[in-house]
Amino acid sequence: MKRSLYVGHVFVTSLICQVSLIAGHARFVEPPARSSLWRFVPGQPTNYNDNELNCGGFGHQYNNENRGRCGICGDPHDSTRPNEIGPGSIYANGVIARTYTSGDNIKATVVVTAPHRGYFEFKICPLTDSTVEATQGCLDQHLLVQPNGDTRYYFGNTAGTYTVDLLLPDGLVCEHCVFQFRYRCGNNWGRDDEGDGLGFGPQEEFRGCADVSITGSGSVGNTAGSPATATPFNTASTTARAITTTTTRDTTTTTTSSTAPPVLGPSQPRCVAVGPLATVPGMAAWCEIVCSHNPPSCPGSICSCN
């Protein structure tokens, strides 16, 4: 009997791990991240996988060598880090994609192509030397806040384009700042200092870095064209140059793509755990996850769609 229960536990754990490997995807496009800059600035190195900067994947990030560590811009911790300033750089070419004003309300835009719940965070670090990359410690000192006071932006579980209003710190001025985007997924079941359940514990992460500057006064300018119009920069030069666009101070926080795949509504089928697994903690949430995938997948011996 004990052997049977153990095998069942291993089988369930294996299934949960398989779900974890169905990776989400997201890219940071406003301000344009280094790996996405080619979409707006001709002549920049192309990265067609700019929505896959997930620290090498969940299994790689949390293996015995990396132990949850990740490059600040989403590269695997143990890689040459092509998205960071340094000898292995490919995409960090010193292009200042946006120029902001200290204390302004700015907009950050993330395109989620495969959602897995969770939230976004945005941080910024002023560089004293543009040839030396920012550290995570510096970024952590400048966690950006939304107008409502929140630092985390929970977007649900729908693919689409999300625009978040953020407040730049008063008094923060920099010729070159690194702007970090972090998407912490929430589709794994686990435990950490904040609690236990779905979304707690180790999760898949996506990150991205953009290069910006912040002035003490003046209007906000763009080196790269805005994602909405994809206006191209008319030279391949990496010299920062403002284009005549400005930001506004409205408080609209979210826009979502009308082409996003549908999510299950209250009247649509849902998955629940059945049989002896019905009482196993976390199984109901696991069944809900697999049922919510597109296409849905409810293993009949474990879950039942109602």
Side-chain angles (χ1 to χ4, degrees):
M1 182 65 178
K2 290 183 179 179
R3 174 181 171 81
S4 176
L5 286 175
Y6 175 74
V7 172
H9 173 73
V10 172
F11 178 58
V12 171
T13 303
S14 174
L15 284 172
I16 293 175
C17 289
Q18 290 177 37
V19 172
S20 300
L21 294 176
I22 304 174
H25 292 83
R27 68 171 62 91
F28 184 30
V29 297
E30 179 57 37
R34 293 166 177 170
S35 262
S36 299
L37 199 60
W38 63 276
R39 298 179 182 274
F40 312 106
V41 181
Q44 296 303 303
T46 300
N47 182 6
Y48 292 110
N49 298 317
D50 56 349
N51 65 340
E52 298 180 4
L53 300 180
N54 62 345
C55 312
F58 180 83
H60 189 84
Q61 182 181 359
Y62 289 94
N63 65 18
N64 289 334
E65 182 177 351
N66 293 315
R67 300 178 183 275
R69 294 175 295 178
C70 178
I72 65 168
C73 304
D75 298 312
H77 174 76
D78 54 351
S79 74
T80 56
R81 304 194 188 184
N83 286 280
E84 294 186 18
I85 299 170
S89 177
I90 296 175
Y91 306 106
N93 295 322
V95 178
I96 301 299
R98 295 286 183 265
T99 298
Y100 301 117
T101 303
S102 179
D104 260 358
N105 179 331
I106 68 170
K107 296 182 183 298
T109 301
V110 180
V111 177
V112 178
T113 55
H116 280 305
R117 296 179 170 83
Y119 60 83
F120 307 145
E121 278 185 339
F122 304 89
K123 301 178 181 181
I124 198 163
C125 171
L127 299 183
T128 56
D129 183 347
S130 288
T131 65
V132 179
E133 186 57 272
T135 65
Q136 190 60 55
C138 175
L139 290 161
D140 291 342
Q141 292 177 32
H142 304 284
L143 177 61
L144 299 184
V145 179
Q146 300 169 53
N148 64 4
D150 293 340
T151 58
R152 295 178 179 179
Y153 183 86
Y154 291 87
F155 69 94
N157 196 33
T158 305
T161 299
Y162 294 86
T163 297
V164 185
D165 275 314
L166 298 168
L167 300 175
L168 291 178
D170 286 322
L172 179 63
V173 175
C174 56
E175 184 175 334
H176 186 177
C177 275
V178 175
F179 195 131
Q180 184 194 53
F181 148 73
R182 177 182 179 234
Y183 166 29
R184 186 177 191 273
C185 298
N187 63 316
N188 288 342
W189 186 272
R191 175 179 296 173
D192 56 31
D193 293 339
E194 297 184 13
D196 60 83
L198 190 66
F200 295 94
Q203 303 289 328
E204 181 184 25
E205 286 192 23
F206 291 81
R207 300 183 185 186
C209 293
D211 297 292
V212 304
S213 65
I214 302 176
T215 64
S217 62
S219 62
V220 178
N222 299 333
T223 299
S226 68
T229 59
T231 304
F233 192 47
N234 61 11
T235 174
S237 168
T238 58
T239 302
R241 186 178 70 155
I243 291 177
T244 54
T245 58
T246 58
T247 60
T248 60
R249 292 177 178 267
D250 64 73
T251 57
T252 301
T253 57
T254 307
T255 59
T256 58
S257 169
S258 60
T259 60
V263 291
L264 296 173
S267 62
Q268 294 177 276
R270 296 285 188 175
C271 264
V272 296
V274 296
L277 297 177
T279 58
V280 174
M283 283 307 303
W286 184 85
C287 288
E288 180 70 18
I289 291 173
V290 295
C291 190
S292 298
H293 276 295
N294 189 10
S297 173
C298 268
S301 60
I302 299 175
C303 308
S304 175
C305 285
N306 296 329

